[in-house]
Amino acid sequence: MIANMSESELERLSRMWKEHMRAPFPPRMRGREIEGEDMVLLDSYIAGGVVSSLSGPLDGKRREILLVCLAAIEKVLPSIDDDDGASEYYKHLRDMAALAVELGNANAR
């Protein structure tokens, strides 16, 4: 286990990641920009940060990317309806990114 990380938080992030990997990407979000944010790239950047967080402490660059992504996802969420689960998909991404940052903050203490 990574020093200073609560095992339960790390397990929670791991469970959330597994859930995310089983969820299909919302097809209507492919190639779509909302509020100037590329929805595929947003998914990709958060996924990279989460995987990094599961592998060890986040470096400053990955932590900053996740923080930028959190701000972006908060900006776009109100514009996403949930007819096909897209809103829930991106809320789940947001929650994973927030937990990964939180784990990184705990590790930095």
Side-chain angles (χ1 to χ4, degrees):
M1 186 169 95
I2 299 166
N4 297 325
M5 273 194 197
S6 165
E7 185 174 355
S8 63
E9 290 173 333
L10 192 57
E11 287 174 353
R12 181 172 158 221
L13 184 59
S14 179
R15 177 185 47 78
M16 292 174 77
W17 176 247
K18 288 174 186 170
E19 291 169 359
H20 179 71
M21 292 303 296
R22 288 190 299 266
F25 185 81
R28 70 184 174 94
M29 292 296 173
R30 286 188 184 98
R32 186 164 176 204
E33 282 191 15
I34 299 175
E35 301 287 332
E37 301 295 336
D38 183 302
M39 301 309 288
V40 172
L41 285 178
L42 192 55
D43 176 62
S44 175
Y45 290 152
I46 291 174
V50 168
V51 168
S52 292
S53 181
L54 289 169
S55 300
L58 288 176
D59 61 23
K61 181 179 179 181
R62 292 196 193 283
R63 184 180 178 282
E64 183 62 32
I65 289 169
L66 281 176
L67 289 171
V68 168
C69 288
L70 278 169
I73 212 162
E74 290 296 342
K75 179 175 68 171
V76 301
L77 271 173
S79 300
I80 302 173
D81 60 49
D82 206 25
D83 293 342
D84 61 354
S87 176
E88 286 305 313
Y89 182 90
Y90 280 94
K91 286 177 184 174
H92 188 82
L93 273 176
R94 176 199 58 202
D95 295 345
M96 285 194 308
L99 183 54
V101 168
E102 183 180 318
L103 287 168
N105 288 343
N107 192 47
R109 290 184 197 136

